[in-house]
Amino acid sequence: MKIAIVGSGALGLYYGALLQQGGSDVHFLLRRDYQAIKNNGLKIYSINGDFKLPNVQGYNNSEDIGKVDLILVALKTFSNHSLKELITPLLSDKTEILTLQNGLGNEEMLADLFGEERIIGGIAFLCSNRGAPGEVHHLGAGRITIGEYKPSQSKRLEIISSIFNSCKIDCHTTNDLKKIRWEKLVWNIPFNGLSALLMQSVDSLLSLHHTRSLIRKIMLEVIKAANAQQLTENIKDVYAEKMLLFTDNMGVYKPSMQIDREEGRQIETEAIFRKPLEFAETTGIEMPLVEMLTTLLEQTELGRLK
Amino acid sequence: MKIAIVGSGALGLYYGALLQQGGSDVHFLLRRDYQAIKNNGLKIYSINGDFKLPNVQGYNNSEDIGKVDLILVALKTFSNHSLKELITPLLSDKTEILTLQNGLGNEEMLADLFGEERIIGGIAFLCSNRGAPGEVHHLGAGRITIGEYKPSQSKRLEIISSIFNSCKIDCHTTNDLKKIRWEKLVWNIPFNGLSALLMQSVDSLLSLHHTRSLIRKIMLEVIKAANAQQLTENIKDVYAEKMLLFTDNMGVYKPSMQIDREEGRQIETEAIFRKPLEFAETTGIEMPLVEMLTTLLEQTELGRLK
């Protein structure tokens, strides 16, 4: 299976490296790390053991990769406007597109561009950061859950999952992609949002009674909106309490969006915040606290650009 | 009339200086500026004309001031726990207490400590900053509106107002102190709150459609809560629109709370945010967006202290 990695940040490089190490034919579309990887290969520093790939098929344009069987999309969502240009040269009639991007709206956009039958979505729970060019630090987790964007009789989820598993990627399948996307938002919206807004780690946010209560209210808004999206089964309100306790156990953890802001990078307000508000609105559900958080983050981004 | 200024920040020093210059017998309780003012007097740099008071009656404790006719309270509200100690030595049976502090709850606290019949409240619209010790910069405005905390037949409002006016302080009286306190909150809560939270000036906040809409929603929450407080007449919703347009005309204006945060000072979350929430709650009114903003500011303060 010929695989292209589109969006070679920490996540794309990490999974791509595991796939290559496991024997897949992986082609990386590179930008920042192109020269470093061409010269010195790709190094993964992982809690599961470090490894190095001296020879990596790296490219600085999609035309040179040519047609592939599977495209793994790991681009930051604020660069989605580039996807048409980046993906088109990689497509044959049978090419499948798996997006591991954050938030909502990515499958929809890819489906509009390339046809819904190709589209698979996935949620990655991965703690990783880019280091120097050509280096990735894998700090924890790594599980992927993949699901069809539209109902399908195909066995491709099982095939992809089994390839991933054979390459030491913990990959599962779901028949309700929407549900797991929204479940992830129940955590991402309050914790990525508030940590980026206030530049405080999750333990600090949870230490004040009023903030803990605000986080719970935000989670319940997201759960209510999720349950209006025709999921196979509802997310229960108790899921919020479960996520609070789960986060208590993380200790001094900085969500990725806080790190992005610390390092002066753009944050994914559209996919993780504004899109869920739009999806909720189509079913008549309002999320006033999420709306306020979204607005504050957008205003913060305006401040960054000044 | 022997007047004591308790809380000699920019506001206390500015009005105290005008009163002294106009011929009143003013006694300043000083802390940071004590030595500078003892040595070199008090300098006011004002848009209405600079002036200097070479000889100022400055003290570092209230006992040395002794009993006075009027106490002007201009302490930051987060130091209210000191008021009992600072004010008690200044009191005779007839001493009146005028608080020009921000937010809600100050008259109540002073009434509990010293008896409600003494208490007068006032709202100051003043743009001023402390400069070097012994120096105050008056940047704009200066109007004061004073009102009785509890209904009174006394003519003291008119007397104080006329003394203030004779000292070139633009002072007015109101028969509804509560209403003007809440009206000021309609502006202070969104603009002081959001500017301090996001560290952006009012023009920047008003430049994004979503943020402007958020500010309007916050104002409408405050107006709704205000109108449940048995005012002499309701604040109309159109007051929000008026305040938005008024603020559009301010240009690149940094509210004082943003400056306080920039300079690492504590901000008045209790009096300007948490107290109004409590006052609203006693009448069964919720302000979910104000509650969220309050919580975010309290969490921000926690970050400052770390």
Side-chain angles (χ1 to χ4, degrees):
Chain A
M1 185 179 260
K2 183 176 176 184
I3 302 173
I5 309 291
V6 172
S8 298
L11 184 139
L13 288 172
Y14 174 70
Y15 287 122
L18 285 177
L19 289 168
Q20 176 176 335
Q21 201 195 26
S24 297
D25 178 24
V26 183
H27 301 254
F28 295 86
L29 183 61
L30 301 170
R31 203 171 42 179
R32 190 198 76 159
D33 294 16
Y34 178 75
Q35 208 53 53
I37 288 177
K38 287 307 256 185
N39 294 346
N40 306 309
L42 174 58
K43 289 172 214 123
I44 307 291
Y45 300 96
S46 169
I47 51 161
N48 300 332
D50 303 344
F51 63 96
K52 184 177 171 179
L53 302 174
N55 298 306
V56 168
Q57 301 178 94
Y59 306 81
N60 54 22
N61 69 79
S62 304
E63 285 75 10
D64 291 348
I65 298 177
K67 298 186 195 321
V68 301
D69 302 305
L70 176 67
I71 302 168
L72 204 157
V73 182
L75 208 66
K76 289 279 187 184
T77 50
F78 46 72
S79 297
N80 276 354
H81 55 87
S82 306
L83 282 175
K84 186 173 185 185
E85 182 191 340
L86 299 178
I87 285 180
T88 302
L90 305 170
L91 293 177
S92 75
D93 289 350
K94 291 181 294 179
T95 304
E96 286 152 0
I97 302 176
L98 167 58
T99 169
L100 293 177
Q101 297 169 288
N102 281 319
L104 299 187
N106 302 303
E107 288 92 359
E108 285 76 2
M109 197 212 53
L110 291 165
D112 281 350
L113 288 172
F114 309 116
E116 63 180 38
E117 67 290 351
R118 298 180 188 277
I119 311 303
I120 304 165
I123 313 284
F125 290 91
L126 175 72
C127 298
S128 64
N129 289 314
R130 286 212 278 195
E135 298 183 1
V136 171
H137 298 272
H138 169 227
L139 310 172
R143 179 186 173 119
I144 293 177
T145 306
I146 61 176
E148 292 287 353
Y149 170 56
K150 293 290 169 187
S152 159
Q153 297 304 315
S154 155
K155 292 281 171 209
R156 63 189 182 177
L157 289 187
E158 284 67 34
I159 294 167
I160 292 170
S161 178
S162 105
I163 292 172
F164 278 33
N165 286 326
S166 75
C167 297
K168 297 185 185 164
I169 298 170
D170 180 22
C171 184
H172 301 252
T173 64
T174 177
N175 64 350
D176 192 349
L177 178 65
K178 224 176 338 184
K179 183 170 184 231
I180 57 167
R181 282 230 173 272
W182 278 92
E183 278 180 345
K184 194 171 182 197
L185 289 173
V186 173
W187 194 90
N188 269 346
I189 286 178
F191 283 107
N192 272 294
L194 293 174
S195 73
L197 181 67
L198 302 171
M199 300 302 268
Q200 294 185 32
S201 51
V202 298
D203 58 308
S204 179
L205 297 175
L206 289 170
S207 70
L208 282 193
H209 168 73
H210 282 133
T211 309
R212 191 180 184 91
S213 162
L214 170 63
I215 291 169
R216 184 184 291 108
K217 286 181 200 163
I218 291 173
M219 286 178 164
L220 292 174
E221 281 190 357
V222 179
I223 290 173
K224 191 178 166 198
N227 290 338
Q229 299 291 318
Q230 302 190 291
L231 309 181
T232 51
E233 62 174 342
N234 276 358
I235 304 172
K236 296 187 181 68
D237 282 357
V238 74
Y239 187 73
E241 215 50 51
K242 197 173 137 190
M243 283 298 102
L244 283 167
L245 297 174
F246 171 71
T247 315
D248 282 331
N249 288 323
M250 287 184 179
V252 186
Y253 178 72
K254 287 185 188 182
S256 60
M257 196 172 275
Q258 180 184 355
I259 295 172
D260 284 341
R261 246 199 99 192
E262 271 180 9
E263 300 184 354
R265 285 193 296 271
Q266 191 173 351
I267 58 177
E268 295 182 281
T269 49
E270 182 72 13
I272 300 181
F273 296 91
R274 191 54 72 187
K275 279 284 174 197
L277 283 168
E278 290 171 11
F279 277 73
E281 205 182 1
T282 59
T283 60
I285 304 284
E286 291 193 349
M287 300 193 280
L289 302 183
V290 174
E291 166 85 44
M292 175 161 168
L293 180 56
T294 304
T295 297
L296 294 174
L297 288 165
E298 288 166 346
Q299 187 72 44
T300 297
E301 279 291 272
L302 182 73
R304 185 182 65 84
L305 296 172
K306 277 194 174 170
Chain B
M1 184 178 259
K2 183 175 176 186
I3 302 174
I5 309 291
V6 172
S8 299
L11 183 139
L13 289 172
Y14 174 70
Y15 287 121
L18 285 177
L19 288 169
Q20 175 175 334
Q21 201 195 25
S24 297
D25 178 24
V26 183
H27 301 255
F28 295 86
L29 183 60
L30 301 170
R31 203 171 44 180
R32 191 197 75 160
D33 294 17
Y34 178 75
Q35 208 55 54
I37 288 178
K38 286 308 252 184
N39 295 346
N40 306 311
L42 174 56
K43 288 172 213 122
I44 307 292
Y45 300 96
S46 169
I47 52 160
N48 300 332
D50 304 344
F51 63 96
K52 184 177 171 177
L53 303 174
N55 298 305
V56 167
Q57 301 180 95
Y59 305 82
N60 54 23
N61 69 80
S62 304
E63 285 76 9
D64 291 349
I65 299 178
K67 296 183 195 327
V68 300
D69 300 306
L70 175 67
I71 301 168
L72 205 157
V73 182
L75 207 66
K76 289 279 187 183
T77 50
F78 46 72
S79 297
N80 276 355
H81 55 86
S82 306
L83 282 176
K84 186 174 185 185
E85 183 191 339
L86 299 178
I87 285 181
T88 301
L90 305 171
L91 292 178
S92 73
D93 289 351
K94 292 182 293 179
T95 305
E96 284 153 358
I97 302 176
L98 167 58
T99 170
L100 292 177
Q101 297 169 286
N102 280 319
L104 299 187
N106 302 303
E107 287 91 0
E108 286 76 2
M109 197 212 54
L110 290 164
D112 282 349
L113 288 172
F114 309 116
E116 66 181 35
E117 68 289 352
R118 299 182 186 275
I119 310 304
I120 304 165
I123 314 285
F125 290 90
L126 175 73
C127 300
S128 64
N129 288 315
R130 287 212 278 195
E135 298 182 1
V136 171
H137 298 272
H138 170 225
L139 310 173
R143 179 187 174 116
I144 294 177
T145 305
I146 61 176
E148 293 286 353
Y149 171 55
K150 293 291 170 186
S152 159
Q153 297 304 315
S154 156
K155 293 279 172 212
R156 62 187 184 179
L157 288 188
E158 285 67 33
I159 295 167
I160 291 171
S161 178
S162 107
I163 292 172
F164 278 33
N165 286 325
S166 75
C167 297
K168 297 184 185 165
I169 298 172
D170 180 22
C171 185
H172 301 252
T173 64
T174 176
N175 64 349
D176 193 348
L177 178 64
K178 225 175 342 182
K179 183 169 184 232
I180 58 167
R181 282 230 173 273
W182 278 93
E183 278 180 346
K184 194 170 182 197
L185 289 173
V186 172
W187 194 90
N188 270 344
I189 286 178
F191 283 107
N192 271 294
L194 293 173
S195 72
L197 180 69
L198 301 171
M199 300 303 268
Q200 294 186 33
S201 52
V202 297
D203 58 308
S204 179
L205 296 176
L206 289 170
S207 71
L208 281 193
H209 167 74
H210 282 132
T211 308
R212 191 180 184 91
S213 161
L214 171 64
I215 291 169
R216 185 182 291 109
K217 286 182 199 163
I218 291 174
M219 286 177 163
L220 292 175
E221 281 191 356
V222 179
I223 290 172
K224 189 178 167 198
N227 290 338
Q229 300 290 317
Q230 302 191 292
L231 309 180
T232 50
E233 63 174 342
N234 276 357
I235 303 171
K236 295 188 180 66
D237 282 356
V238 74
Y239 187 73
E241 213 51 50
K242 197 173 137 189
M243 284 297 102
L244 283 167
L245 297 174
F246 171 70
T247 314
D248 282 330
N249 288 323
M250 288 185 178
V252 186
Y253 178 72
K254 288 184 186 182
S256 60
M257 196 171 276
Q258 180 183 355
I259 296 172
D260 284 341
R261 247 199 99 192
E262 271 181 7
E263 299 184 354
R265 286 193 297 271
Q266 191 172 350
I267 57 176
E268 295 183 280
T269 49
E270 182 72 13
I272 300 181
F273 297 90
R274 191 54 72 185
K275 279 284 174 197
L277 283 167
E278 290 172 10
F279 277 73
E281 205 182 2
T282 60
T283 60
I285 304 285
E286 291 193 350
M287 299 193 280
L289 303 183
V290 175
E291 165 85 43
M292 176 161 167
L293 180 55
T294 303
T295 298
L296 295 174
L297 289 165
E298 289 166 347
Q299 187 71 43
T300 297
E301 279 291 272
L302 182 73
R304 184 182 65 85
L305 297 171
K306 279 195 173 167

